[in-house]
Amino acid sequence: MISPIIILLTYMWDIALSYLVIKFFMNYSLKTFLKHTAKDFYNQSVNPPVVRASTILFKSLNDIRKTQKKHLKNPTGGHFDYGRQGTSTTHALSKILTKLEGSYHVFLTPTGFGSVFLAMFSVVRPGDEILVSDPVYSPTRILTQDFFKDFNIKAIFYNPRDLSTLKDNITKKTKLIFVENPGSNTFEFQDLSKIISIAKKNKIFTAMDNTWGTPYFLKPIKLGFDMAIVSATKYYSGHSDVMGGSLAVNKRVFKYVQIAEKISGLRMGPDDAYLIIRGLRTLDTRLERHEINTKKIASFLSKNKKITVLYPYKKGTTDYKMWKKYYKGSSGLMGLKIKSKNISSIDRFVNSLKLFGYGYSWGGFESLALHQKIKEQGKRKYLDLSKDEHIVRLHIGLEDPKDLINDLKSSLKLIK
Ligand SMILES: *Cc1c(COP(=O)(O)O)cnc(C)c1O
């Protein structure tokens, strides 16, 4: 029989080594960090094992109590006593994302929308008001505008292009400013530092949905936001086969979110965490290629007179300036504002694309297209879209952009 002392020593050595490896690679650039982090020296595998657990076993009752004490002392230190707090697999992912975000901690949720919900649930209470950017992701709109009403929480929507509509709507009850940048479908880029300074002056919490840019291109927590959300379903996983969400926080809101996370029972599973870690290995490489491809498509499409490309590629526009001020790069999701008196020809255009899939979500390796009927949703207050203008959303994947352009070229003829 192997002596328990040897097992204990091996175990301690493993923990010390993983800790040192993380410390060591922290000093490298993100590109290198993403390739070398979370190796598993104990199992000699490049990626961490998938640890599935509800019950966590300890060596003694005293050991359970010690772990709980350690957790209280160092809540971000990865001490856990039950599976709802995650396992070593989800903790490895949380550590990687904390580094990527430059945040105090990252909470993981089963979907991206779970992180949107957790952010709000953590700080907003009955009687409060929240300010939300008008072009938010539609489920976020429904949550804040409709669902919260029953809880006596009032949502006011501000114009992302005119921050006086943000400033002028602040009251003593305003608890949270919720920003999504750029706006879903219409891609408005906001003056983020200005929003933060308004919020700080009025002691209001701030959260930003950063799914489009990811912290690889923009780090909201470093900029001064209290919370930053990324749907891990999109670029983190990158392969359209897993869902997840990440909520990065600064020290100020950590304790609020920690309580809300416990109460809500939102927890990412280890299999999903594993796939997201695997996706993150190539986050930088994929995003850079998405950007190259998308710029090529944008410049091709901008030659079409019926189309306005909603993507930060053209110098001189306000959106470009705001993008340039804050972002290191741009991802693969863009909008097309198409002028046509014949709305069914927009559907014909999308339906005739051969390399673009028709379906929700985005951020995987493949191209997607949707005709977004945002006017029919009838909720947006500051929608800058005339009767004959329609929105098509494209996700530009990692295919050869020449093939994508040829596909678009033949389908564009169908727009009347
Ligand atoms: C997809 C998406 C979400 C929600 O993420 P899920 O993982 O699908 O729940 C939130 N915000 C934005 C901007 C998104 O595109």
Side-chain angles (χ1 to χ4, degrees):
M1 199 185 96
I2 309 169
S3 141
I5 300 219
I6 300 217
I7 293 178
L8 186 66
L9 283 176
T10 323
Y11 180 68
M12 280 167 57
W13 168 244
D14 178 46
I15 289 177
L17 200 61
S18 331
Y19 180 76
L20 284 175
V21 164
I22 288 213
K23 276 270 167 227
F24 182 70
F25 285 109
M26 284 280 188
N27 299 324
Y28 283 91
S29 81
L30 270 181
K31 269 184 177 301
T32 307
F33 171 77
L34 288 174
K35 308 301 172 288
H36 286 271
T37 185
K39 285 179 180 169
D40 184 51
F41 286 86
Y42 189 66
N43 293 300
Q44 297 178 298
S45 60
V46 171
N47 289 305
V50 178
V51 176
R52 302 186 185 94
S54 51
T55 300
I56 309 289
L57 291 173
F58 292 85
K59 286 189 274 308
S60 68
L61 292 179
N62 209 24
D63 204 27
I64 297 183
R65 287 168 201 139
K66 264 201 237 157
T67 300
Q68 288 164 340
K69 263 191 202 148
K70 274 188 204 159
H71 175 75
L72 284 176
K73 243 190 185 163
N74 178 14
T76 63
H79 311 287
F80 43 92
D81 62 10
Y82 182 48
R84 209 159 56 217
Q85 294 160 4
T87 68
S88 60
T89 317
T90 52
H91 284 249
L93 174 58
S94 168
K95 267 187 217 159
I96 297 170
L97 294 179
T98 301
K99 158 83 177 164
L100 187 60
E101 295 269 10
S103 60
Y104 181 67
H105 188 65
V106 165
F107 294 92
L108 301 171
T109 51
T111 66
F113 194 61
S115 283
V116 172
F117 179 81
L118 183 59
M120 299 199 191
F121 184 63
S122 301
V123 296
V124 179
R125 293 293 173 267
D128 289 346
E129 293 178 2
I130 55 177
L131 281 158
V132 183
S133 57
D134 193 47
V136 276
Y137 179 61
S138 151
T140 306
R141 179 102 197 181
I142 294 165
L143 171 68
T144 51
Q145 176 179 277
D146 307 326
F147 188 78
F148 275 176
K149 252 194 213 154
D150 290 346
F151 295 87
N152 190 25
I153 295 162
K154 187 176 166 195
I156 297 156
F157 294 86
Y158 71 88
N159 185 348
R161 292 235 156 86
D162 175 11
L163 293 183
S164 70
T165 60
L166 173 84
K167 231 172 155 174
D168 296 347
N169 279 308
I170 289 175
T171 72
K172 274 188 196 136
K173 293 179 181 173
T174 312
K175 184 62 91 52
L176 172 72
I177 297 174
F178 190 93
V179 179
E180 183 180 313
N181 208 54
S184 263
N185 294 311
T186 39
F187 299 86
E188 301 87 344
F189 283 84
Q190 306 178 44
D191 200 342
L192 301 173
S193 298
K194 214 171 192 174
I195 295 173
I196 291 165
S197 89
I198 294 171
K200 288 205 166 142
K201 232 179 256 161
N202 293 281
K203 298 198 168 60
I204 299 167
F205 291 120
T206 46
M208 172 171 161
D209 186 333
N210 188 33
T211 301
W212 183 85
T214 83
Y216 189 65
F217 287 145
L218 166 86
K219 298 187 195 311
I221 300 291
K222 292 223 156 162
L223 207 61
F225 279 93
D226 294 310
M227 297 182 270
I229 294 136
V230 176
S231 164
T233 310
K234 313 284 166 62
Y235 288 119
Y236 284 178
S237 96
H239 294 77
S240 309
D241 54 1
V242 58
M243 297 195 81
S246 124
L247 174 58
V249 296
N250 62 12
K251 204 170 174 178
R252 180 181 174 219
V253 301
F254 173 79
K255 53 182 186 296
Y256 297 102
V257 185
Q258 191 188 29
I259 294 166
E261 187 212 29
K262 241 184 205 166
I263 295 299
S264 68
L266 288 169
R267 181 250 204 199
M268 179 188 280
D271 294 270
D272 295 343
Y274 177 86
L275 285 172
I276 294 164
I277 291 171
R278 197 164 74 162
L280 283 171
R281 301 288 189 205
T282 55
L283 177 73
D284 53 318
T285 318
R286 285 183 288 108
L287 275 174
E288 285 164 18
R289 179 55 62 176
H290 281 292
E291 179 172 26
I292 290 169
N293 285 3
T294 309
K295 282 189 170 150
K296 280 184 184 162
I297 308 286
S299 91
F300 161 73
L301 288 169
S302 66
K303 292 185 193 111
N304 190 306
K305 282 200 191 87
K306 293 188 191 102
I307 295 177
T308 309
V309 177
L310 309 173
Y311 189 75
Y313 74 104
K314 208 169 163 182
K315 283 185 188 141
T317 64
T318 320
D319 284 331
Y320 182 88
K321 269 184 227 149
M322 282 303 142
W323 167 76
K324 189 87 188 152
K325 189 169 168 192
Y326 297 107
Y327 286 81
K328 280 205 192 113
S330 51
S331 71
L333 193 73
M334 63 153 92
L336 308 180
K337 185 154 91 176
I338 305 177
K339 222 178 172 116
S340 160
K341 287 196 192 314
N342 184 340
I343 187 166
S344 55
S345 78
I346 307 287
D347 274 0
R348 280 199 291 281
F349 154 63
V350 174
N351 272 327
S352 88
L353 291 165
K354 289 178 186 70
L355 291 174
F356 289 77
Y358 322 127
Y360 287 103
S361 198
W362 48 278
F365 50 83
E366 81 289 14
S367 290
L368 295 167
L370 280 177
H371 177 189
Q372 300 282 60
K373 298 196 172 180
I374 49 179
K375 271 181 288 195
E376 283 179 18
Q377 295 169 358
K379 281 171 183 158
R380 289 210 12 202
K381 210 171 154 185
Y382 303 104
L383 184 61
D384 176 24
L385 209 61
S386 73
K387 204 170 114 255
D388 296 333
E389 287 175 331
H390 314 279
I391 298 283
V392 167
R393 191 182 79 177
L394 295 181
H395 179 249
I396 305 303
L398 304 176
E399 298 92 342
D400 187 331
K402 277 190 218 128
D403 291 330
L404 295 176
I405 287 174
N406 284 335
D407 192 16
L408 286 161
K409 213 182 247 172
S410 52
S411 299
L412 280 170
K413 291 178 195 142
L414 297 172
I415 301 176
K416 297 289 170 227

